[in-house]
Amino acid sequence: MTRKRREALAAYAFLAPDTIGLLIFVAIPMVLAFGVAFFKVDGFGNYQYVGLANYKLMAGDDQLWASLKVTAIYVVTFVPIAFVVSFALAMLVRNHFKGIGWVRSAFFLPNVVSLVVVGLIWQFLLVDKRGALSKILAPFGLGDVSFLGTPSLALGTYVVISVWFLMGYQMLVFLAGLKDVPKELEDAAQIDGAGSWQRFRYVIWPLLRPTSFFVVVNSTIGAVTGLQAFDLVFVLTKGGPARATSTVVLYIYEQAFTFNNMGYAAALTTVVVAILVVCTGLMFGVTRGGRFDED
Amino acid sequence: MAASPFPARQLSRRSVLRGGLGAFAATAAGVPLLSACGSNESGGNAKEMSFWNFYGPSDDQGPQSKWFVDTVAEWNKNNDVKVKLRYIPGKDYLNGTTLQTAFQSGQGPDIFLISPGDFLRYYNGGVLQDLGSALSDESKKDYLPGLLEARSVDGKVYGLPMEIEPLAMYYSEAAFESAGLSEADLPKTWDQTIAVAQKLTNSKRYGVMFETLPGYYQNFTWYPFMWQGDGNAIKDGKSAFDSPASVQALKFWGDTIKNKVAPRKALGDGGGDVVSNLGSGAAAMQQSGIWAVADMRTKAKTFKYGIIPLPTPDGGSAATDLGGWAFVANSKGKNPEAAAKFIAWALGSTDAAGVERQRQWNTVVKTNLPPRKSVQQAADAKGAFADGALKKFVSEIAPTGKPEPRFPPEVYQPIADAIQACQLNAADPAKAAADAAEKIDTFLKTYQGAPIS
């Protein structure tokens, strides 16, 4: 066996566990969902072929459109804020200084906690009147504000919690990207008289394109379908108050498990997949997949 | 086929496109797609039946868990067809996917617990077993009026209630004292409730509290206020939700928030959690059920509280909602007849041991009202309802109660949306009620299941 071949084999071996997991838990169910979407499924094992009826239902389903709107608002606020915050953090802890390990860990820490626990912690902090935040805001006459109980504030509160939760992970991704920026290029720019802003603008930023692309795509998908969009909402508000946090994934869950409309839930799932494919495609087109200009 | 525990899906971190897809992963793992129809190939002679519940055997090994374990052990000692308990934590049982995915793949439990809110979903799904042949006439007659009817279709009984859980208003004696109020100030009407709550509200405490999280439980706690004005969601097969009674009840809950005397979000496990809210001093009055008496006994022993009937609107009549879970058998299970026999024996036996078993559940390991007359007598003989909150529940509150409605999700959802919108989003109650009524009517036009009540 040639060395190249051995390396390839090793690579496949390392990839296998995740690939198998993806196949069983993501790819196969996704394909099945496309099939199930053509049936009325009652949750008791009965299937009835209904053709495109599930898709036709969607047009008049106000709740679906409302949940898509909630999701869209969440995505367009969360993704940019999370991007800027985590990038800023990465720049901040990029260089070595005393206690760097501690600072990095502190930022990353929220990410290792399960989202259910995150929900419980924040619930505790945000309790009406008696929570830590209410106490801090009380001197300003804002002690009565209910962050998770007021429709106009609840989604924004989720954005803040989600940013707090994910910033450590994204910071790490940015740090890895920053490590790949050759020090010589920066040095060369400096010798050429580039100031720190110029070094950032013309050397670091362009070289981070693939990383930035990954972060944006990853956090968009996460915001639509991920942990924050389901677990956190499920634990904290169950889609309330007054459906202000009813994300599309929560809505799919309700259709499947509260209303036993599993076929309709499958159809909704395919639509969400389609939306994500289109969004990712658009981002890919705009940024050329984050490749460098000269490629 | 042994009881195959279906993998319980926890809230895990693997959540790419979860929601819907979880169900299909289950389908893929369990029964091949489309052949799931009629996976009821099991005969009537399986030797082990699974019993899914949210009591035992739990990790805490508490008295309620012990009651389940002991009851099943007692049955297993004397019967060939054994029962095997499977514990599912309450949160997963109520809002999780365990039961739904199991039934969808034809792997549902033989015996399980359901609340009235879930009755029609399971009945219309064709998985509830008629318990009739297993139930003696004597046993049927022993149940209080209305309780079996709420779990029956066409005169056939499909579930045996294990308890009756009325709702009342709990209040904190300390909060009343510190606000300079006495028992004479306890509210009887809605207006009084808001006025008293205003006096009880301060920078750390809310005067009154109702459930604010959307869900079956919130609807359950709201219905009494609609009934007090003689309203209902459905009457004579048509939506009746668009009535002054519904509108004023929606308005009342909204007013408590508008006047800032009620929180927009509860502590702990929500509106039904008296220990975390009333007990912590965060609320001075709180609507909750009879189960809270036991909770306070074990977790807030020294806390002084009282209960009053739910306040009524001017000109309205007293009403409360009688909740309570029931044992049901899966008609597509491995041995539905034996499962029915087990249920009739566990909850419906009229012999001394049966009455005692039920009394233990209703008044010793848990506080609620016995659904059976003989059990009530036995409990009275032991002085279970002789004083305090429980006495009030029996004498004053329960007699005004109606069984919790069995509304399918399509009726529950528009009502839930109306409650949420009026309570937390300052919606116009008249419009919210009209919108809900219209949705309910649309659904009723094509509904073809068992009668909704």
Side-chain angles (χ1 to χ4, degrees):
Chain A
M1 214 187 294
T2 64
R3 189 170 160 213
K4 211 172 164 183
R5 212 176 158 139
R6 277 207 311 275
E7 278 183 357
L9 266 177
Y12 284 122
F14 279 117
L15 283 172
D18 251 16
T19 312
I20 292 167
L22 273 173
L23 268 177
I24 292 176
F25 292 108
V26 179
I28 293 174
M30 213 184 290
V31 172
L32 280 178
F34 277 95
V36 174
F38 294 102
F39 291 83
K40 188 175 194 297
V41 186
D42 71 348
F44 295 100
N46 302 312
Y47 293 78
Q48 186 196 340
Y49 181 76
V50 292
L52 291 172
N54 284 326
Y55 290 97
K56 285 178 188 149
L57 268 182
M58 289 178 199
D61 185 350
D62 302 343
Q63 221 110 81
L64 167 65
W65 297 106
S67 71
L68 282 171
K69 194 176 149 196
V70 166
T71 308
I73 294 173
Y74 179 70
V75 169
V76 299
T77 45
F78 165 75
V79 174
I81 294 176
F83 186 94
V84 171
V85 169
S86 47
F87 186 70
L89 286 181
M91 291 301 283
L92 193 73
V93 300
R94 180 186 173 210
N95 297 315
H96 274 276
F97 53 85
K98 212 171 168 221
I100 177 78
W102 190 88
V103 175
R104 282 183 187 169
S105 315
F107 289 139
F108 189 71
L109 211 56
N111 203 251
V112 297
V113 181
S114 108
L115 237 108
V116 174
V117 175
V118 167
L120 294 175
I121 293 168
W122 280 89
Q123 185 162 32
F124 187 68
L125 292 173
L126 296 174
V127 163
D128 288 15
K129 245 176 207 183
R130 302 185 142 225
L133 198 60
S134 288
K135 283 185 182 147
I136 292 167
L137 293 175
F140 307 99
L142 296 168
D144 272 347
V145 176
S146 173
F147 289 91
L148 289 169
T150 311
S152 55
L153 295 178
L155 198 60
T157 307
Y158 277 120
V159 170
V160 173
I161 300 175
S162 309
V163 169
W164 172 83
F165 176 69
L166 271 179
M167 64 185 187
Y169 169 74
Q170 291 197 6
M171 172 191 79
L172 221 57
V173 175
F174 275 124
L175 274 177
L178 286 168
K179 276 238 155 49
D180 278 350
V181 175
K183 194 83 179 86
E184 309 87 72
L185 284 183
E186 264 190 87
D187 292 345
Q190 192 166 15
I191 289 164
D192 289 345
S196 56
W197 165 251
Q198 283 164 317
R199 288 203 302 276
F200 169 75
R201 174 67 189 82
Y202 296 106
V203 179
I204 299 174
W205 182 242
L207 286 175
L208 272 180
R209 277 186 72 155
T211 313
S212 306
F213 173 74
F214 171 77
V215 166
V216 169
V217 170
N218 194 48
S219 60
T220 303
I221 293 175
V224 175
T225 66
L227 302 160
Q228 331 79 284
F230 183 83
D231 290 19
L232 205 54
V233 173
F234 196 76
V235 172
L236 286 179
T237 51
K238 296 225 163 64
R243 299 200 81 86
T245 61
S246 173
T247 60
V248 70
V249 185
L250 187 80
Y251 183 62
I252 292 174
Y253 180 90
E254 277 180 350
Q255 284 295 331
F257 299 110
T258 307
F259 300 157
N260 275 23
N261 294 329
M262 294 192 176
Y264 187 52
L268 292 173
T269 310
T270 63
V271 168
V272 172
V273 170
I275 291 174
L276 280 175
V277 167
V278 170
C279 283
T280 310
L282 277 177
M283 284 187 248
F284 205 87
V286 169
T287 66
R288 273 164 291 155
R291 270 168 301 168
F292 301 117
D293 293 339
E294 63 268 27
D295 280 357
Chain B
M1 182 165 62
S4 68
F6 198 81
R9 217 164 60 84
Q10 306 280 325
L11 290 175
S12 70
R13 315 195 74 200
R14 186 184 292 280
S15 67
V16 184
L17 291 177
R18 58 180 323 155
L21 287 185
F24 313 120
T27 317
V31 184
L33 188 69
L34 305 187
S35 71
C37 336
S39 63
N40 173 28
E41 75 291 297
S42 42
N45 49 11
K47 289 288 180 212
E48 188 174 271
M49 301 182 289
S50 54
F51 182 3
W52 292 10
N53 73 91
F54 47 88
Y55 285 107
S58 72
D59 295 336
D60 70 3
Q61 306 279 318
Q64 294 170 11
S65 167
K66 193 167 174 300
W67 186 91
F68 269 78
V69 172
D70 290 349
T71 299
V72 165
E74 178 72 23
W75 165 270
N76 287 347
K77 207 165 65 189
N78 303 315
N79 290 277
D80 289 341
V81 186
K82 312 289 181 199
V83 171
K84 191 170 180 231
L85 286 169
R86 176 174 168 206
Y87 172 72
I88 298 168
K91 276 196 169 130
D92 285 339
Y93 199 98
L94 292 167
N95 294 309
T97 58
T98 317
L99 247 69
Q100 273 66 39
T101 44
F103 273 105
Q104 171 61 23
S105 57
Q107 309 277 320
D110 298 293
I111 305 156
F112 56 108
L113 306 178
I114 60 172
S115 76
D118 261 346
F119 181 84
L120 286 177
R121 176 159 64 143
Y122 283 94
Y123 176 83
N124 292 338
V127 296
L128 292 190
Q129 170 75 9
D130 173 9
L131 307 177
S133 58
L135 272 180
S136 70
D137 284 343
E138 196 191 352
S139 174
K140 278 188 210 163
K141 272 187 218 136
D142 199 22
Y143 280 88
L144 292 170
L147 291 182
L148 292 185
E149 285 77 355
R151 282 107 181 159
S152 300
V153 179
D154 297 333
K156 288 178 186 160
V157 182
Y158 292 90
L160 278 195
M162 56 203 286
E163 62 218 354
I164 306 175
E165 297 183 313
L167 295 166
M169 186 74 92
Y170 286 71
Y171 66 89
S172 153
E173 289 185 6
F176 268 69
E177 270 168 37
S178 74
L181 298 168
S182 71
E183 285 201 352
D185 298 302
L186 288 167
K188 291 191 176 62
T189 67
W190 293 355
D191 291 344
Q192 285 169 7
T193 304
I194 292 181
V196 172
Q198 251 151 2
K199 290 182 189 151
L200 289 161
T201 301
N202 61 27
S203 63
K204 286 184 183 151
R205 181 174 68 206
Y206 282 100
V208 66
M209 199 182 95
F210 299 106
E211 176 64 295
T212 55
L213 264 189
Y216 269 97
Y217 179 75
Q218 179 173 47
N219 282 28
F220 164 64
T221 58
W222 180 82
Y223 294 136
F225 298 92
M226 171 177 72
W227 295 336
Q228 288 170 354
D230 197 29
N232 214 331
I234 295 172
K235 216 170 202 170
D236 307 323
K238 275 204 207 103
S239 166
F241 194 70
D242 195 3
S243 71
S246 307
V247 174
Q248 69 176 9
L250 289 170
K251 183 171 180 302
F252 172 52
W253 273 33
D255 283 347
T256 61
I257 300 269
K258 206 161 81 184
N259 287 308
K260 296 191 172 173
V261 298
R264 288 174 164 271
K265 197 157 189 327
L267 276 71
D269 287 336
D273 184 346
V274 173
V275 175
S276 301
N277 292 281
L278 193 82
S280 74
M285 295 187 280
Q286 178 180 1
Q287 184 197 14
S288 188
I290 192 167
W291 59 82
V293 174
D295 291 346
M296 294 297 265
R297 258 185 209 163
T298 50
K299 291 177 197 148
K301 278 191 190 94
T302 55
F303 187 83
K304 288 204 165 68
Y305 69 91
I307 65 154
I308 50 171
L310 299 175
T312 58
D314 285 328
S317 49
T320 194
D321 206 340
L322 304 176
W325 289 72
F327 282 20
V328 291
N330 178 358
S331 63
K332 293 183 177 170
K334 293 184 292 286
N335 196 336
E337 283 82 24
K341 268 187 206 136
F342 167 77
I343 292 170
W345 169 83
L347 296 181
S349 299
T350 48
D351 60 357
V355 172
E356 176 58 15
R357 180 167 47 244
Q358 183 77 67
R359 187 189 74 84
Q360 286 284 335
W361 178 257
N362 289 139
T363 63
V364 180
V365 305
K366 201 168 174 237
T367 49
N368 47 50
L369 301 183
R372 289 166 45 190
K373 295 167 203 157
S374 60
V375 179
Q376 208 163 25
Q377 281 160 12
D380 279 338
K382 299 253 182 195
F385 304 108
D387 51 19
L390 290 180
K391 183 183 179 188
K392 235 179 178 157
F393 265 116
V394 175
S395 58
E396 270 182 63
I397 294 168
T400 67
K402 281 197 205 190
E404 181 183 351
R406 53 181 206 204
F407 291 150
E410 292 85 351
V411 175
Y412 140 82
Q413 184 67 59
I415 298 175
D417 285 339
I419 296 172
Q420 283 278 306
C422 295
Q423 186 187 26
L424 297 165
N425 209 15
D428 171 26
K431 189 178 179 303
D435 288 351
E438 196 188 315
K439 286 202 176 107
I440 295 169
D441 260 337
T442 310
F443 163 70
L444 290 177
K445 271 177 203 145
T446 54
Y447 175 70
Q448 294 173 319
I452 299 170
S453 57

